[in-house]
Amino acid sequence: MNKFVEYLKNYIDKKSVCILGFGREGKSTYRLIEKYCKPESVTIADLNPVNNPPENTGIITGMDYQKSLDDFDIVFKSPGIVLEKQPSELKCEITSETQVFFTVYREQIIGITGTKGKSTVSSLIYHILKESGKDTYLVGNIGVPVFDIAEDVKEHTIIVCELSCHQLEYMTVSPETAVFLNLYEEHLDHYGTMENYHNAKKNIYLHQEEYDCLLINSDVEHEFTGAYDYTISAENPSSDIYVYSGIDKIHVNSAIIPTNNIKLLGVHNHYNIAVAYFVTSFYVEQEDFEKALCTFNPLAHRLEYVATVDGVRYYDDSISTACATAIEAVKSVPNAKTILIGGMDRGIDYTSLIEFLNTCDVNVICMETSGKRIYDTIRSMDFNKPERVYYVQHLDEAIELAYNITPSGTSCVMSPASASYGIFRNFEERGDAFKKLVEGLKS
């Protein structure tokens, strides 16, 4: 019997179980419990109605869906659910797919978190390992629930797991190899303070054991757990791993990685490549790394080239929800002349972005609520060339304006530095809308 299945049976059998949230992960949890376990009962609790609920399960929906958690022995919380009470205030055991999966397989897991870049780094590490002939899976926040592969993991399998702050928030087990890429203002609508947000992220390494490995951005403060920890930076030469970029090469300490055939744009992606290089160096030779790197295609909505219309190149960076990513977009896109910024206003401090834009010769098109705040701030200050700063309400107007003011031979990038919620379902839908509008310019 697979060791995970054996652990899950022992953990679940004869217990009353609540699956809190019945999206992709909740359904994955239910599938394995139904297939292998003999719980006393299984109940699904969700704010929204449950379509086609499984037979022989209890259903709790509506505003009071969290009121009965203490009626259960174990509650599997989905990452998108915000608990109304802290686990310490509840009698039930709060757990998750990630917690259970890591308990069994932590020694085979490379866990990656950070405010930005975690999907790119996770996908790149997975690509390098897969192309080099390793038995590996890519799971987690990238869109594949860990329980979907739990039955198939073998002793030599390498599991690459992207981890969000919501997945890490209550974790009490950390992966043997942990990567903490960076930390920027994000999710303050949920966490309230950067300290709380940082504390959630810390669980990627806080529970590591002696001789585990942590790779962490040198700008992120961290505790020492007994693991081997290495700092990495694109700016601080005193870091254990220092990345600096030449015209055609990335220097990672003594290693030199040529960039002529690499499709990832920008210095921030050189940092991401260096992280992937360090992590995969435990498993593959540098020659295999370089060969696989050259075949890696950037993920959608991350400085993704869309089309050229009347001589203007358009780039989709819809993933951008922070100042740092918008700044990197302008630096990375070839001959950037127009940037589209703005979306849901979550109270982020935009000072660093505004100061950067004040030094650039780019058109700034602001949109939606955060864009209006940025626009008003710029108009109230001594901004260099205020005539190149515009405000429109929505994305379609922004595209039309960009088409009219961006010179041929330059580039336009949408890098919103803002969340998409309340306007679009997610950043993917926003990026798809941008692409469709750009394609519409051709007609």
Side-chain angles (χ1 to χ4, degrees):
M1 181 185 292
N2 174 283
K3 69 176 181 178
F4 176 84
V5 172
E6 184 176 1
Y7 178 87
L8 188 68
K9 281 179 56 63
N10 291 334
Y11 183 58
I12 294 295
D13 285 359
K14 299 181 181 179
K15 305 282 183 60
S16 57
V17 177
C18 175
I19 298 174
L20 187 60
F22 204 58
R24 182 181 295 173
E25 186 166 305
K27 291 172 183 174
S28 176
T29 301
Y30 175 81
R31 181 182 68 83
L32 286 195
I33 291 176
E34 192 274 336
K35 185 175 182 180
Y36 292 112
C37 303
K38 296 179 180 178
E40 178 184 286
S41 64
V42 176
T43 299
I44 296 166
D46 200 304
L47 176 64
N48 302 309
V50 177
N51 296 322
N52 302 314
E55 296 181 3
N56 303 317
T57 57
I59 303 293
I60 302 172
T61 59
M63 296 300 294
D64 293 336
Y65 77 112
Q66 292 193 35
K67 300 301 182 187
S68 304
L69 297 186
D70 279 336
D71 293 344
F72 305 98
D73 297 316
I74 299 170
V75 174
F76 277 87
K77 188 188 85 67
S78 295
I81 302 294
V82 178
L83 288 176
E84 295 172 357
K85 293 182 179 180
Q86 290 297 307
S88 58
E89 302 176 68
L90 296 166
K91 296 177 183 178
C92 60
E93 179 182 350
I94 298 293
T95 190
S96 65
E97 275 201 11
T98 311
Q99 173 79 21
V100 174
F101 185 85
F102 275 44
T103 299
V104 178
Y105 290 128
R106 64 161 233 98
E107 294 177 354
Q108 296 173 247
I109 296 172
I110 301 168
I112 299 101
T113 198
T115 307
K116 296 300 169 188
K118 55 186 177 291
S119 292
T120 294
V121 171
S122 300
S123 299
L124 181 55
I125 290 172
Y126 167 77
H127 179 78
I128 301 297
L129 294 173
K130 193 73 174 176
E131 290 296 300
S132 301
K134 304 299 180 183
D135 176 28
T136 183
Y137 288 102
L138 176 62
V139 294
N141 191 59
I142 199 80
V144 180
V146 293
F147 274 20
D148 279 8
I149 65 143
E151 305 156 274
D152 303 318
V153 175
K154 302 177 180 63
E155 189 175 346
H156 60 276
T157 302
I158 305 167
I159 304 153
V160 183
C161 188
E162 179 190 334
L163 295 161
S164 70
C165 53
H166 300 302
Q167 288 171 311
L168 289 167
E169 189 167 13
Y170 302 115
M171 287 283 285
T172 59
V173 58
S174 300
E176 184 176 89
T177 303
V179 178
F180 197 148
L181 293 169
N182 46 50
L183 189 70
Y184 302 120
E185 278 193 347
E186 186 71 290
H187 299 295
L188 298 188
D189 52 328
H190 170 55
Y191 289 103
T193 67
M194 276 294 289
E195 181 181 10
N196 290 339
Y197 174 51
H198 189 184
N199 286 340
K201 289 283 195 186
K202 285 180 182 179
N203 285 320
I204 195 168
Y205 70 83
L206 273 185
H207 314 288
Q208 282 192 301
E209 300 175 9
E210 191 175 10
Y211 306 123
D212 285 353
C213 179
L214 168 65
L215 181 61
I216 189 166
N217 189 300
S218 63
D219 293 336
V220 180
E221 294 183 5
H222 69 286
E223 292 85 349
F224 295 94
T225 63
Y228 293 112
D229 59 66
Y230 304 88
T231 56
I232 184 167
S233 176
E235 298 176 352
N236 184 358
S238 64
S239 299
D240 297 315
I241 301 159
Y242 175 48
V243 147
Y244 60 100
S245 302
I247 295 173
D248 61 351
K249 294 180 177 66
I250 306 168
H251 300 255
V252 187
N253 288 16
S254 59
I256 300 175
I257 302 168
T259 60
N260 293 341
N261 298 317
I262 293 173
K263 301 172 185 176
L264 291 166
L265 293 176
V267 172
H268 67 293
N269 271 323
H270 294 174
Y271 172 89
N272 293 338
I273 290 168
V275 170
Y277 171 74
F278 176 84
V279 172
T280 58
S281 67
F282 295 105
Y283 306 95
V284 305
E285 299 296 326
Q286 182 170 339
E287 181 181 352
D288 293 328
F289 173 87
E290 290 184 15
K291 186 184 299 182
L293 175 62
C294 291
T295 63
F296 179 76
N297 292 311
L299 302 180
H301 314 302
R302 294 157 175 86
L303 289 181
E304 179 188 10
Y305 169 70
V306 176
T308 298
V309 183
D310 293 342
V312 175
R313 294 172 64 86
Y314 289 84
Y315 289 85
D316 168 17
D317 194 36
S318 184
I319 187 70
S320 165
T321 57
C323 293
T325 49
I327 291 170
E328 285 300 328
V330 174
K331 290 180 178 179
S332 303
V333 166
N335 202 13
K337 187 62 179 179
T338 300
I339 182 172
L340 279 56
I341 56 176
M344 176 187 177
D345 192 351
R346 295 193 289 184
I348 290 175
D349 181 0
Y350 286 107
T351 302
S352 62
L353 177 57
I354 292 170
E355 289 177 348
F356 171 76
L357 293 173
N358 198 23
T359 68
C360 302
D361 186 22
V362 295
N363 300 311
V364 181
I365 300 178
C366 305
M367 55 189 176
E368 303 295 348
T369 52
S370 65
K372 185 63 165 65
R373 179 158 65 88
I374 293 169
Y375 176 79
D376 289 342
T377 301
I378 289 174
R379 301 299 294 186
S380 68
M381 61 183 284
D382 184 18
F383 193 82
N384 181 30
K385 296 185 178 179
E387 67 275 7
R388 59 185 173 84
V389 182
Y390 305 82
Y391 174 74
V392 297
Q393 285 192 312
H394 303 302
L395 179 60
D396 56 346
E397 301 167 83
I399 294 291
E400 183 179 356
L401 178 57
Y403 176 76
N404 290 325
I405 66 175
T406 308
S408 178
T410 66
S411 299
C412 169
V413 58
M414 179 184 69
S415 189
S418 306
S420 58
Y421 307 126
I423 308 157
F424 299 97
R425 284 181 300 175
N426 47 44
F427 75 87
E428 291 95 343
E429 186 178 78
R430 175 170 62 186
D432 290 341
F434 174 80
K435 292 176 184 178
K436 186 175 181 180
L437 288 166
V438 169
E439 290 296 327
L441 296 175
K442 297 178 180 180
S443 56

